[in-house]
Structure formats: structure tokens, C-alpha cells
Amino acid sequence: MKVSIKEVSGVGKKYQEIFNSYNIFTSQDLILYFPKKYLSFKETSLLLAVDKTEVTVVGEVASLPIIIKHRNNLESLRFKLLVDNELYNIVAYRRGYLKESLKEGMEIQVRGQFKKRQKEINAINIILKPLKRELKPNYQIDGIYDSNISKIVYQIYQNKWFYIAENLPSDIIVKRGLLSRYEMVRILHFPSNKEALDKALYRLKYEEAFFFQEKIYQQFKSDNKVIKKARDYDLNIVKEFIERIPFELTDNQKAATNDLFKDFKAPHLKKRLIQGDVGSGKTIVVGIAIYGMKTAGFQSAFMAPTEILAFQHYQTFLKYFPDLEVALLTSSTKEKSKLKARINSGEIDLVVGTHALITDDTKFSNLGFVVIDEQHRFGVLARETLANKGEADLCYLTATPIPRTLGTVILGDMEISNIKEKPRDRKPIITYYLHQSKFDSVIEHLKKEINLNHNAYVVMPSIESETRGETVYTMYERLAAIFYDKVLLIHGKLPALEKEAVMATFKNNKGMILVSTTVVEVGVDVKEATMMIIYDGKYFGLSQLHQLRGRVGRSELQSYCYVLSDDSDLERLTIFKNTDDGFLLSEYDLEHRGPGEFLGLKQSGMIDFKYANLNDDFKLFLKAKEDVFSK
Ligand code: ADP
Ligand code: MG
């Protein structure tokens, strides 16, 4: 069967080492190492070709070849070749032996140096039976030419030093019209034409999507197998607690809260997605559930996408939930080991934190509930790691609604609660869409709001890049010249402590302006903020713009959102101006930018597939999901 790679003829010490550095140790490994891409061997158009460059053409022999003798025993073969109805002279040194094989009217392929003025090709290579379209595998193994790899792979095929096992169920192969795995592998190494190669690549991607879905399915099955410890929460204490909340829950909030308690009662682990527009009040809903968990003797974890948000949630919980023992755990937490000991002992009821929370040495004594805020910011890995920290019911919160199909493909089947209405005392935000040249009129409005002691955000697309024009710094200076110490500056690259300090100043003082990058995008809650100015709308997706707009209008005060642009983005920004429905805006994003863009996966890079791509191959993922889940 398989042999060590060094046994294959053509593989010496040097090649062996190179192969090993690519984790290729045996003939089998090399067969399962697929080309990274394919170079298509294109014919050159001689009409467009540049003098003295290398060209490849296919043409018809148009004259009987003759041999010309030169000095030093050198001879050349000469004939005319008809390419695209033009005659060219072919000169081939040391190719006298081809004279007899070249017949008039025969189709051949010639590669060589082009002399444009003389209409001549100095041939390097003459192939008598041209393959019209050749696809060359490109293995991207540094130090070994692709043609040599192909020869080595060919050797392995000749000797049958490999074994390919089918890994997909046969009914699915039939149903989806897929190639067998054996065929696929052969074509990946030796593609005869584009059509066959496309079929092979399709099967390769399908396989990847299939096994990804298989993993989700296994997770789903094992969730359903575990009989979890009963969460015997005390409904009366929870009800009393709800009575004490200083506002009345909306009907949707009440329904979502009930859904969570229903999940707790279920015998198996549950996953739920709570979707609700910015400001719809998701935090209090999970807060009540966390409180319920405490009455049942379980700990909870709340994961936020940024330190700013973790800090803010932490403060919210301190304020609304005085009976909970809450801890903040982020990468800048001091004395982590002490805190972790308190988490491990069960002394802490709720841990609020960022990714740092999921490092392996954070152990809970009795984790029962995990909340993941703005889940689209996290990849599958992060989620699963935290979820596996105990027998925890899981709840994702998102302000960017996910179409059901997309959600189930990447997260598996889960139940969804929607919070559609906003708390009663909110006024709709008035949105303006202006050309950047009108910025002065925005500043006039800004002066009025600041005089009323309201707060304002000015969001810039970048920290320092020149190409995007104004930056947080230039805008900060421009505004500081008018508003002096009323202006604050924040961006993602500031140290965490400084960010916290700036946010605290902004939150605790009236009439302040915060110039920022998108760090304020999700969740930040400052009630007196009435103005959101987004300097350059074209750099943001509609969902993102909507998130930003949701930073204002968080009290009974009238709020405003200005989007400035250079008019290159008329349709999109007009839709934004006229629509306050986050669900609709995200549908638009999904349609125009695809799921990858929409989910922020490109940035997080956490759902990385080797061959398939969630964005381009979304339909294939849907098929794989259907196949796996209907087995
Ligand atoms: P999001 O869903 O965007 O995370 P939050 O949970 O941060 O929204 O809630 C936004 C604000 O609305 C918070 O200040 C919260 O206290 C307040 N809030 C939540 N529910 C209600 C309600 N039913 N009535 C009035 N205010 C509410
Ligand atoms: Mg929130």
C-alpha cells in the first residue's frame, strides 16, 4: 500500500525534507495533498502580443518544413504556421528531427519568443498534438516545481501506493450527483478539462460542508442526550424581583423571559437566540433569567464582544441586581487568579467578561447558563469552548437579525425569541442624510444640543489612514477648536484603562462630544446622548449604521442621526434614512453583501473553511445541512 515518500523515485533527501515540512511523510499523504489552485494554459493572441515576449499558440502547419544549416554544425527547422488566419514564421534550432513528422495542415502547439516585426516565433517547445486547454495543478510547495510534483504523483498512481476510502454515504452521492472520492482525487491531480475539475472541486467543498454539518449535528444530538441537573428556581423570588424593576417589561420582553425559563425546565440542554433591535431591552431579560438561575443555585456567565461593553454590562448588573454576586473578568482584570478561585468556589453568581473568560483555566463550580451578547462577533470555536464549560443552557443575543436559514447553518438548530417592540417612552430618531460639504450646518445643530446639556457621538471610519480622508484625530482637533474640553476621543487602539476612563467621563458628564471609531457600535448605553453623527456613511454596512443610530434615542429626549457622505452611495443611504426597521436593513445587507459580510465573519476569521467559503458556497452548505439532518 502506502510507502514512505522517500521510496518514490524522483524524491531525494532534499525533496523529502521539503515534503516533510508540509506534513507529507508517505505516498498516501501526498495523494491527499490537493493542489491549491490551477493555472490554465492560455493561448496568446499574437495580434496583441508584445515584441520579445514568450507566447503560446496553436496553429496549422502551412508549409513543408525546411532545414537550414548554420556554422558549428547548428541547424534550424523552418516552416510557416497559420494562426488566426495570419501566417507566421517558425524557427526551431536543433529540431531537425521533427522534419518528417510535421505535415501540412496538421494542428500543433508552439511556445517561444515572439519577434513582432518579422512575424516570427523562435520556438522553445513544439507539441505535435496540442491539448486545446490545459490545466496545470499548482501545489504551492516551496522548493519543488509543480511539474516535478505531478511526476511524483504519477509514479504513486502507477504503483498504486495509496488507498482512497469513500467517506460519504452512497445515497447522498447519488442524490447530489457527486463524483466518487476516488474520481475526485484523481481529477484534482490530473484535471483533463475545466468541467471535470469543477465537478471534483464541487465534491471537495461539499465534503467539507457535510462534515461541518455533521459536527453540528453531533453537538445537537449530544445536547439532547444529556439529562441536565434540574434548575429548581424559585418563581416567587423571581416575580418579586420583577416587581422591583423600575419600569414595566414590554410584552415581547415578558414572552422572551418566559421562553428562557421554559428552556431551564426542559430536561435537556437548550440553545436560544434572542433577536431584538438595539435598545429593545435584551439585557434585562437575560438578567431575570440569571437571577432565576441563582435562586436554583447555579452560576451564569455573560460574554460581551468588547471590554467597554463588558464593563457596561457589569455596571448594569451591579445597579439592577444588588443581590447577585457579580464579577468582571476581562484581559485587563487584575489579580485574575484570586477572582478565578472565587469563581471556582461558587462564591460568584455571575461572571461578566470578554474572550478572556473562556481561557481554559477559568473553572466554574456549577455553571448553568451562558449568555453570549452580539453573538455574530464570535466564531463557532469561541462559542463551543464556553458552552462546554459545564452543563449550561445557552442564549445568544443579537441586534442584527439573522435569517433563520443562515443561523441554523452555522449555529445548528435553535429556538428564536423576537423582541420587536421598543420600550414605550422612546421617540423615533430623526435621520438626516447630507453631503460632507454641509458639515458646518451639522456643527450648528451640535452646538444647540450641547447647550441643552445633551451628549453627542461623532463616528469616523478610521483611526489614522490617509486614504479615508478625515480621521478620529483630525475630527477631534476640528471640534476641539470649537468646543474645547467638551470633546473626548476614543478608539480601539487605546489601552483598556484609558478607554474605560474616557467612557466614564462621557457617561458621567453632560454636554460632551465623543469622537470615536466604531468601538461605540454595539450596546453602549448613554441615556442623554441625542446626536449621532456618522462622518462617512459609505464605509459602513446598513446594519452597522443602524447599530450606530441605536446609540441615541435611549430616553424620552428627541434624538437625531446625521449620515454624511460624498454622494457615491445614494440608494443605500436613502434606504437607511427612510427605514427604522433593523430587520429590513439587515435583509438588504444580506442580499447585497452576502452572508459573510453580514455576519462579520471575514473580520473574525473564526469560521474558516479550507476549501469552501460560506459566502460563495452558501447554497451548498444548505444542501449539506439538509442531507445531514434528514438522515
Ligand atoms: P439592547 O437590547 O440594545 O441590549 P438594553 O438591554 O441595553 O438594550 O436596554 C436599553 C435600555 O433600555 C437600558 O437602559 C434599559 O434599562 C432600558 N429598558 C429595557 N427595558 C425597558 C422597558 N421595558 N421600559 C423602559 N426602559 C427599558
Ligand atoms: Mg445590548
Side-chain angles (χ1 to χ4, degrees):
M1 276 279 96
K2 70 179 177 191
V3 297
S4 167
I5 193 74
K6 67 171 188 279
E7 306 292 321
V8 185
S9 74
V11 181
K13 187 107 194 104
K14 192 179 132 224
Y15 276 16
Q16 187 194 346
E17 273 167 18
I18 295 174
F19 278 132
N20 288 356
S21 73
Y22 284 83
N23 280 323
I24 298 166
F25 298 95
T26 65
S27 52
Q28 174 84 2
D29 294 341
L30 181 56
I31 293 302
L32 295 180
Y33 185 98
F34 304 134
K36 294 285 175 284
K37 57 178 195 197
Y38 296 84
L39 310 174
S40 64
F41 199 26
K42 278 225 182 73
E43 294 161 29
T44 318
S45 157
L46 290 179
L47 295 175
L48 301 175
V50 176
D51 190 34
K52 295 198 183 73
T53 55
E54 191 177 299
V55 295
T56 302
V57 294
V58 171
E60 227 175 79
V61 178
S63 71
L64 281 176
I66 52 166
I67 291 179
I68 295 201
K69 305 250 183 223
H70 303 267
R71 268 173 293 167
N72 305 331
N73 255 349
L74 189 64
E75 55 176 40
S76 64
L77 187 72
R78 294 177 180 236
F79 59 92
K80 291 201 187 296
L81 189 72
L82 186 68
V83 184
D84 293 334
N85 287 324
E86 292 277 331
L87 283 175
Y88 294 87
N89 298 311
I90 307 297
V91 178
Y93 288 96
R94 296 190 191 85
R95 296 295 202 301
Y97 59 88
L98 284 178
K99 184 171 187 287
E100 297 309 315
S101 342
L102 288 168
K103 304 266 182 311
E104 270 180 292
M106 181 176 175
E107 206 179 34
I108 61 167
Q109 186 177 60
V110 176
R111 185 164 64 88
Q113 181 90 8
F114 186 45
K115 292 184 183 167
K116 200 172 179 87
R117 205 171 45 82
Q118 292 96 320
K119 288 182 82 175
E120 187 175 297
I121 297 172
N122 204 327
I124 301 164
N125 198 349
I126 294 177
I127 299 173
L128 297 185
K129 269 194 212 150
L131 290 169
K132 270 275 156 92
R133 188 166 200 183
E134 197 180 328
L135 288 162
K136 274 180 78 175
N138 180 215
Y139 288 90
Q140 296 181 2
I141 291 184
D142 272 348
I144 311 182
Y145 285 123
D146 287 325
S147 52
N148 285 342
I149 297 175
S150 287
K151 277 181 203 151
I152 295 163
V153 172
Y154 187 72
Q155 288 282 325
I156 299 173
Y157 262 88
Q158 290 291 298
N159 291 297
K160 300 207 167 60
W161 282 332
F162 66 98
Y163 176 72
I164 310 272
E166 183 52 68
N167 57 7
L168 291 177
S170 52
D171 55 331
I172 284 173
I173 293 180
V174 173
K175 176 174 162 200
R176 296 295 178 198
L178 299 171
L179 295 175
S180 71
R181 187 164 162 81
Y182 187 89
E183 266 297 272
M184 172 190 87
V185 175
R186 191 180 58 75
I187 293 172
L188 289 174
H189 289 296
F190 305 106
S192 54
N193 58 54
K194 181 94 173 45
E195 222 188 331
L197 179 61
D198 284 346
K199 279 199 100 174
L201 290 172
Y202 185 83
R203 146 109 210 200
L204 185 63
K205 289 175 180 180
Y206 179 86
E207 249 180 48
E208 190 172 35
F210 183 88
F211 290 111
F212 178 71
Q213 289 305 321
E214 186 71 28
K215 218 165 73 189
I216 287 179
Y217 180 70
Q218 292 307 335
Q219 175 79 38
F220 165 79
K221 263 198 346 206
S222 70
D223 282 355
N224 268 335
K225 241 186 267 157
V226 180
I227 303 287
K228 69 188 178 197
K229 277 186 254 167
R231 282 86 160 101
D232 294 320
Y233 53 84
D234 189 325
L235 196 57
N236 286 326
I237 299 184
V238 174
K239 276 186 175 155
E240 274 168 32
F241 172 77
I242 294 175
E243 291 293 304
R244 289 201 306 272
I245 299 175
F247 43 77
E248 192 179 342
L249 298 180
T250 62
D251 288 346
N252 284 175
Q253 280 175 313
K254 285 181 193 157
T257 310
N258 282 336
D259 288 342
L260 284 174
F261 279 94
K262 223 170 52 202
D263 290 349
F264 294 164
K265 257 193 256 168
H268 308 295
L269 290 178
K270 285 286 189 180
K271 267 190 206 170
R272 175 172 302 278
L273 177 71
I274 299 186
Q275 294 189 158
D277 220 338
V278 215
S280 61
K282 297 181 287 292
T283 320
I284 196 75
V285 170
V286 289
I288 295 165
I290 289 169
Y291 194 78
M293 271 290 171
K294 178 199 160 78
T295 67
F298 287 90
Q299 293 171 295
S300 299
F302 189 115
M303 192 155 97
T306 64
E307 296 211 10
I308 294 181
L309 282 175
F311 184 69
Q312 221 176 69
H313 283 308
Y314 172 66
Q315 287 186 314
T316 304
F317 282 107
L318 289 182
K319 184 170 147 198
Y320 287 110
F321 299 83
D323 315 352
L324 279 183
E325 199 62 49
V326 190
L328 178 68
L329 179 59
T330 68
S331 51
S332 50
T333 299
K334 299 212 177 58
E335 305 201 50
K336 278 201 193 70
S337 48
K338 245 190 208 162
L339 178 57
K340 286 181 181 178
R342 292 175 64 213
I343 295 169
N344 197 6
S345 75
E347 192 186 320
I348 304 286
D349 301 318
L350 167 65
V351 185
V352 181
T354 52
H355 291 78
L357 188 65
I358 59 169
T359 52
D360 285 337
D361 56 339
T362 311
K363 300 221 163 53
F364 291 82
S365 111
N366 199 16
L367 183 65
F369 185 42
V370 171
V371 181
I372 300 177
D373 196 17
E374 302 303 340
Q375 63 76 36
H376 65 286
R377 303 228 143 194
F378 299 98
V380 169
L381 283 177
R383 290 192 289 271
E384 299 301 326
T385 320
L386 187 66
N388 290 336
K389 280 204 166 297
E391 284 180 17
D393 291 306
L394 204 54
C395 175
Y396 306 116
L397 303 182
T398 183
T400 316
I402 299 177
R404 212 194 146 77
T405 41
L406 181 56
T408 58
V409 160
I410 53 170
L411 302 168
D413 274 319
M414 61 168 79
E415 289 177 73
I416 297 180
S417 308
N418 286 312
I419 304 186
K420 289 216 159 179
E421 47 192 7
K422 289 198 181 176
R424 288 179 198 41
D425 52 1
R426 302 287 169 78
K427 289 202 178 70
I429 301 160
I430 298 174
T431 303
Y432 298 101
Y433 164 34
L434 297 179
H435 192 269
Q436 274 155 355
S437 61
K438 305 262 169 63
F439 193 63
D440 284 346
S441 69
V442 182
I443 290 185
E444 288 312 308
H445 189 170
L446 186 57
K447 282 179 186 162
K448 279 188 204 147
E449 293 297 316
I450 299 302
N451 279 335
L452 289 168
N453 271 332
H454 299 157
N455 288 15
Y457 298 95
V458 181
V459 175
M460 305 300 295
S462 76
I463 302 177
E464 46 206 345
S465 143
E466 308 275 299
T467 51
R468 289 188 170 191
E470 293 257 12
T471 69
V472 261
Y473 290 111
T474 61
M475 182 55 77
Y476 173 75
E477 271 155 33
R478 189 163 165 182
L479 294 175
I482 304 169
F483 298 95
Y484 310 104
D485 59 353
K486 295 259 173 204
V487 191
L488 297 167
L489 171 73
I490 195 170
H491 59 72
K493 288 196 180 143
L494 292 180
L497 280 178
E498 209 177 319
K499 276 190 270 187
E500 270 167 34
V502 173
M503 281 316 294
T505 313
F506 184 66
K507 226 177 147 158
N508 300 329
N509 292 282
K510 296 192 167 170
M512 302 294 285
I513 302 167
L514 183 66
V515 180
S516 82
T517 50
T518 49
V519 282
V520 294
E521 181 192 339
V522 266
V524 172
D525 187 20
V526 178
K527 285 222 166 7
E528 296 76 17
T530 55
M531 246 185 128
M532 167 57 69
I533 302 165
I534 302 156
Y535 188 73
D536 213 337
K538 72 163 173 280
Y539 293 112
F540 303 98
L542 288 187
S543 304
Q544 209 180 2
L545 286 174
H546 187 64
Q547 294 263 5
L548 286 169
R549 176 163 60 188
R551 297 307 99 220
V552 297
R554 297 175 82 84
S555 67
E556 70 294 341
L557 298 172
Q558 178 61 56
S559 288
Y560 307 88
C561 174
Y562 283 88
V563 192
L564 293 138
S565 95
D566 56 10
D567 272 358
S568 59
D569 212 5
L570 208 68
E571 179 194 283
R572 229 173 49 95
L573 295 182
T574 306
I575 289 172
F576 173 67
K577 175 186 174 327
N578 294 332
T579 312
D580 186 38
D581 183 336
F583 287 85
L584 277 179
L585 293 175
S586 82
E587 292 290 339
Y588 183 94
D589 267 358
L590 181 62
E591 213 171 283
H592 290 80
R593 300 187 161 207
E597 184 75 38
F598 168 75
L599 289 164
L601 298 173
K602 275 187 187 145
Q603 296 94 300
S604 82
M606 283 206 223
I607 305 191
D608 257 346
F609 296 99
K610 214 167 151 191
Y611 306 109
N613 167 330
L614 195 56
N615 213 28
D616 304 339
D617 308 314
F618 187 58
K619 292 218 171 87
L620 194 138
F621 277 89
L622 284 177
K623 286 181 187 159
K625 184 194 147 70
E626 187 193 313
D627 293 345
V628 168
F629 279 77
S630 62
K631 264 194 305 191

